Amino acid sequence: MVADLARRWFASRLVREWLIIVALLLIVAVAAARGQWLWRLDQSLYDIALTLWERPAAGDIVIVAIDDASLESIGRWPWRRAVHATLVDRIAADQPRALALDIILSEPDAADPLLAEKLRAAGVVVLPLVIESGAGRAREVPPVAGLASAATRLGLIGLELDQDGLARSVYLREGVGTPRHAQLALAALEAAGVRSAAAALPGEADPEASGRLSRTRVRDHWYQVPFVGPPGSYAQVSYADVLTGQVPAGLFRNKFVFVGATAIGLGDAFPTPVSGGARPLPGVEIHANVLQALNEGIDIRLGGPKRAAWLAVAALLIVMTLYVRVTPRQALFLTGVAALVLLVGAAVLLRMGQVWLAPSAALLAVLSAYPLWSWRRLEAAQGYLAEEFERLSAEPALLPVGAESYKVAGPHNAPALGESVEARIQAVRMATERLRNLKRFVADALDSLPDATVVVDREANVVLANIRMGRLAGVEPAAALAGRPVTQLLPALELKSRGGWPQVADALKAGLPLSHEATLSSPDGPEREVLLHTAPCHAASGERIGGILALIDISALKETERKRDEALRFLSHDMRAPQASILTLLEMHATAPEAMPAAKLTERVGRYARRTLNLADDFLRLARAERAKSAEFAPVDLVALLEEVREDALELARAQDAAIELDVGVEEAMVHGDGELLRRTMLNLVSNAIKYSPRGMRVRIGIAADAMADGKPGWSVFVVDQGHGIAEEDLPKLFGRFTRLKRDGQPEVDGVGLGLVFVKTVAERHGGRVEVHSRTAPPGQTGSTFTVRLPRMQD
């Protein structure tokens, strides 16, 4: 309950902090956007975006430049009108589409009639007009009367400079009292018939442009110029070269020709976003940019402060909403992504939508949100942790600790939780140390349990598992079992009990205790008998939070009980029977010596005594085989061992007129094991092959390289006889304790059925297995093959 209240308090405090930050930043962002506090940054970003908008210069625009070479060739500026008349005549000879002179011709000259004549003959000619303002009044300054009447159109050559002194725009319509004059480039397009004078104009229109005072300067259709590139982007020829005929014929045919000053000393140049360093862009090139943009239908509109404010509000709300769902590192990444999206989005919107939406206010909001939110969230988290640390320090320590550990994690040494970072770090270190100690304690306690145990949550999913459960599941480390449902805890093992794994899962989910015996079985392994036990787990508040499942392996206990029963049967029957027979024989000899001669008595008593001794030896060998430990094993050469077994079995083979053939295809076959147990194993198989075969038969023993079930290299030691064979239904009983099988026609052989049990036990203790294949028909082809597979000793 206390922890739940603390979490709610922390959440409510975070909500309050979030609302305060959002409200504060909204006010700042909206004020910055509406007040254009960051106009310089917005204009810089606009310039960068405009520079990234790559457009080739139009091929139908040519500039005749009044450059430094022309000034040097013709003389100081201004030049006589006769010079301009010659130039117009030269250009007109190529029949240009339109000729625009960016040369102020407001002062009379003696050669004005000559120039007027050339202008009329040139076709479409646009002359400049300027507007002068002062003392609250404005006046239009056209070319001299004779030249103005000779021109096709007059065009304004004024530019608009922004607060930073850069030329980024022009007004397409302007005049005194009413905006009746077109900008020079627009006038050229209209004079050439490319645009109609009545057509709608791009740019930001002024609805009150026609209602101003008659003597004031009125401007309309504010047009943002999308510059093509730095100075020199358009095709240029020198004024002097045109005069001297050094330009190719037809250069100006069907093209828009602008004549204007490019020499720095003439002062007709302005800084622009694409000027390139400190190099200004000549006014004549600005007019060329305007003409190309108008001809291409480009119309860049400014989003304005209101839209910039809405952008800032939207960006701020999006990132602040996401901040509460991500980690601090993700929040930092999110902030960078948001800033990048704003910048790239503004450039893409300018390029694709021809709208410039100033992003500076939104950037201010987004970039300020991260540090403010991180700071307030950290403060809230520290306040919450401080209270939790104090509560934790007040609780008694669960685990006993040493002197050094007590200084680190003991509750009595908690630092005073003030505002210092060191104190908070110390508190965190102490708390985490205590939690690590407790977690290690729980894990060690769980691993130390002798039984396979898991801790599950309320949905019966594994939370903790000890080493023994990991081994049982075939998973290492056991921690990899975390998150696995109980029903899939041991997928390779079938639980044979009431209800199986689903019943266990249901009991854990319901918090019901279970305790009963069950069997775990797998298709390729032995069955395990277990005691299944479940119990619920509760939190400090009393709420059930999960459960514990333990599988107590009682297979060894059951096996011990079985062996005890077998030993009692062995002692009560197999060992007692020969002794009882000996006593009976002695009593018969004592009461009737003539019926039991001494020689016969001695032979029969010896036979029973040897039988008892063999039984005891078999039982002891089996017990030794069951106790064999791999730590006591040593290198054993199976080739040498088989030769020794063959020598040991020769006497028995001669008694049966049997032959023993040794089939060894390798010089050496090394294994890691107990040489005496392996020798006795093979001797048991060879002895059985001789005993259970008719007289005069052949027994073949040998070794072959093989692979184990896991793919690792191994050896196959085989014994092949020509006996009567073993029935298929008897094969599963063959390796049972005290089991003896007999077929019609087989000789009577002494034994109690422990020999093959010994063989199987030794093979398994050495990491191998024993296999048998037998044929009982047809006659003459019967026999059995016993194969012991052992892992090869690695170098």
Side-chain angles (χ1 to χ4, degrees):
M1 180 64 70
V2 174
D4 186 54
L5 289 175
R7 284 193 296 270
R8 291 180 182 177
W9 172 87
F10 180 61
S12 63
R13 179 172 177 180
L14 273 182
V15 171
R16 290 196 303 271
E17 298 285 357
W18 189 89
L19 291 174
I20 292 172
I21 293 173
V22 169
L24 176 64
L25 289 179
L26 281 177
I27 294 173
V28 173
V30 171
R34 299 300 295 267
Q36 297 184 4
W37 296 352
L38 304 173
W39 63 268
R40 191 178 295 275
L41 177 59
D42 280 328
Q43 288 183 334
S44 298
L45 294 175
Y46 172 80
D47 294 345
I48 294 173
L50 196 62
T51 304
L52 295 175
W53 186 356
E54 296 183 356
R55 293 163 47 236
D60 60 348
I61 298 176
V62 178
I63 294 176
V64 177
I66 303 174
D67 53 9
D68 292 328
S70 299
L71 292 174
E72 183 178 353
S73 174
I74 300 173
R76 294 180 59 184
W77 184 263
W79 297 331
R80 292 177 297 106
R81 301 287 166 81
V83 177
H84 298 317
T86 303
L87 177 78
V88 171
D89 189 46
R90 298 275 188 181
I91 296 174
D94 276 352
Q95 299 180 353
R97 200 167 189 181
L99 172 61
L101 298 180
D102 186 13
I103 303 171
I104 298 176
L105 303 172
S106 59
E107 297 294 333
D109 187 271
D112 284 344
L114 175 61
L115 178 57
E117 180 184 349
K118 298 299 183 183
L119 292 175
R120 290 188 186 93
V124 178
V125 177
V126 180
L127 294 182
L129 175 133
V130 296
I131 296 178
E132 295 179 349
S133 301
R137 298 172 62 87
R139 71 183 185 92
E140 297 176 357
V141 182
V144 294
L147 298 181
S149 61
T152 308
R153 291 288 300 272
L154 298 181
L156 286 162
I157 57 173
L159 299 175
E160 185 67 16
L161 299 181
D162 290 334
Q163 291 174 298
D164 56 357
L166 268 65
R168 297 184 177 88
S169 60
V170 298
Y171 282 93
L172 297 181
R173 295 285 184 186
E174 192 170 355
V176 176
T178 181
R180 64 181 183 276
H181 298 293
Q183 197 269 347
L184 184 68
L186 176 60
L189 288 172
E190 292 177 350
V194 177
R195 289 184 62 93
S196 171
L201 291 177
E204 185 176 336
D206 184 356
E208 300 180 1
S210 299
R212 305 286 172 81
L213 295 176
S214 61
R215 304 309 297 171
T216 59
R217 185 175 186 176
V218 181
R219 300 182 292 184
D220 197 5
H221 295 285
W222 185 28
Y223 186 70
Q224 307 299 317
V225 182
F227 294 96
V228 168
S233 297
Y234 289 97
Q236 291 189 16
V237 293
S238 176
Y239 192 108
D241 290 342
V242 177
L243 287 180
T244 57
Q246 296 182 26
V247 296
L251 175 65
F252 306 113
R253 188 176 303 279
N254 291 326
K255 295 182 180 178
F256 292 95
V257 181
F258 286 90
V259 180
T262 61
I264 299 298
L266 296 182
D268 188 20
F270 305 88
T272 64
V274 296
S275 294
R279 185 183 176 191
L281 187 68
V284 67
E285 289 197 48
I286 295 177
H287 297 312
N289 277 276
V290 174
L291 186 141
Q292 178 177 344
L294 290 173
N295 208 18
E296 293 176 353
I298 298 176
D299 182 12
I300 297 176
R301 298 299 181 99
L302 301 182
K306 184 181 293 186
R307 289 188 177 89
W310 279 115
L311 175 63
V313 170
L316 177 63
L317 291 179
I318 290 173
V319 296
M320 287 299 296
T321 301
L322 294 176
Y323 278 168
V324 298
R325 301 175 181 272
V326 298
T327 64
R329 180 176 296 180
Q330 291 171 336
L332 178 60
F333 176 75
L334 174 65
T335 303
V337 170
L340 184 62
V341 168
L342 287 172
L343 293 173
V344 174
V348 171
L349 185 62
L350 175 65
R351 174 64 182 89
M352 306 302 295
Q354 298 183 17
V355 174
W356 173 249
L357 193 56
S360 296
L363 285 173
L364 174 65
V366 169
L367 296 178
S368 300
Y370 176 74
L372 284 175
W373 171 247
S374 299
W375 166 46
R376 297 315 303 162
R377 179 166 60 176
L378 180 61
E379 283 292 323
Q382 286 180 338
Y384 171 75
L385 291 177
E387 294 188 7
E388 289 298 309
F389 290 151
E390 289 176 358
R391 242 186 246 115
L392 182 63
S393 298
E395 294 180 2
L398 175 64
L399 304 177
V401 294
E404 294 301 319
S405 299
Y406 196 78
K407 291 178 182 178
V408 174
H412 303 293
N413 290 285
L417 295 177
E419 292 298 322
S420 68
V421 176
E422 292 78 6
R424 290 177 176 177
I425 292 177
Q426 175 68 359
V428 172
R429 189 168 68 89
M430 291 170 53
T432 53
E433 183 71 16
R434 291 182 67 178
L435 290 176
R436 278 196 294 266
N437 291 342
L438 182 59
K439 182 178 179 180
R440 181 60 183 269
F441 173 78
V442 172
D444 289 348
L446 201 63
D447 285 339
S448 66
L449 295 178
D451 309 311
T453 307
V454 293
V455 179
V456 300
D457 58 19
R458 285 185 294 186
E459 298 302 320
N461 297 319
V462 176
V463 177
L464 291 174
N466 67 354
I467 295 175
R468 285 169 178 77
M469 184 61 79
R471 291 173 182 169
L472 188 61
V475 175
E476 188 177 352
L481 291 172
R484 183 180 294 187
V486 164
T487 52
Q488 300 176 15
L489 180 63
L490 304 172
L493 299 178
E494 179 186 0
L495 181 66
K496 296 180 179 178
S497 68
R498 298 188 299 272
W501 288 117
Q503 186 203 29
V504 175
D506 292 341
L508 289 169
K509 292 178 182 178
L512 301 176
L514 286 179
S515 185
H516 59 76
E517 292 185 7
T519 302
L520 288 175
S521 62
S522 64
D524 56 353
E527 290 187 345
R528 294 183 178 88
E529 297 182 72
V530 297
L531 177 62
L532 187 149
H533 179 75
T534 66
C537 294
H538 299 87
S541 61
E543 179 186 6
R544 185 177 63 84
I545 57 174
I548 296 177
L549 166 65
L551 299 176
I552 305 169
D553 193 347
I554 56 175
S555 300
L557 179 62
K558 293 291 185 180
E559 180 67 13
T560 301
E561 291 179 355
R562 184 178 60 79
K563 289 182 179 179
R564 182 196 62 187
D565 293 342
E566 291 176 350
L568 290 175
R569 188 183 70 177
F570 175 73
L571 293 173
S572 63
H573 181 269
D574 296 278
M575 290 290 287
R576 185 174 179 275
Q579 307 302 321
S581 298
I582 291 174
L583 292 176
T584 301
L585 290 174
L586 293 175
E587 289 175 358
M588 289 176 59
H589 180 73
T591 56
E594 68 282 358
M596 181 60 65
K600 187 176 181 180
L601 174 65
T602 301
E603 185 271 331
R604 295 185 65 179
V605 168
R607 177 154 49 89
Y608 285 129
R610 282 192 297 273
R611 182 179 179 186
T612 302
L613 182 60
N614 289 336
L615 288 173
D617 287 343
D618 287 346
F619 197 77
L620 290 175
R621 289 192 193 100
L622 179 60
R624 180 170 177 259
E626 290 174 340
R627 293 195 305 270
K629 299 178 180 179
S630 60
E632 301 174 356
F633 289 172
V636 178
D637 183 6
L638 295 178
V639 175
L641 185 141
L642 283 187
E643 292 176 351
E644 184 179 344
V645 168
R646 181 173 178 273
E647 293 296 326
D648 292 343
L650 280 178
E651 183 177 351
L652 179 61
R654 292 191 187 101
Q656 291 291 104
D657 292 332
I660 301 177
E661 295 181 358
L662 189 59
D663 182 8
V664 178
V666 294
E667 296 182 358
E668 185 180 65
M670 300 302 295
V671 297
H672 195 65
D674 186 314
E676 178 57 29
L677 291 179
L678 292 173
R679 187 191 69 81
R680 191 67 203 181
T681 296
M682 302 314 302
L683 187 58
N684 276 5
L685 292 176
V686 173
S687 299
N688 286 347
I690 296 173
K691 293 177 183 178
Y692 288 96
S693 296
R695 296 179 63 85
M697 291 299 176
R698 183 185 61 200
V699 175
R700 185 166 61 92
I701 60 177
I703 302 174
D706 201 353
M708 305 300 290
D710 58 2
K712 295 181 179 179
W715 300 106
S716 291
V717 185
F718 54 85
V719 176
V720 184
D721 64 37
Q722 295 177 324
H724 298 277
I726 304 168
E728 185 175 356
E729 63 271 15
D730 290 337
L731 289 177
K733 311 172 188 176
L734 195 61
F735 296 97
R737 287 174 178 259
F738 306 106
T739 299
R740 302 190 66 206
L741 304 176
K742 186 176 183 302
R743 288 177 56 84
D744 295 339
Q746 285 184 344
E748 184 71 28
V749 179
D750 290 338
V752 292
L754 292 179
L756 290 180
V757 178
F758 174 82
V759 170
K760 181 175 181 290
T761 302
V762 171
E764 291 177 350
R765 286 290 179 177
H766 284 76
R769 67 181 189 274
V770 60
E771 300 173 356
V772 59
H773 301 281
S774 188
R775 300 184 304 278
T776 57
Q781 298 183 18
T782 60
S784 301
T785 300
F786 285 82
T787 304
V788 178
R789 302 186 187 277
L790 299 172
R792 190 179 304 182
M793 186 178 74
Q794 302 298 318
D795 293 337

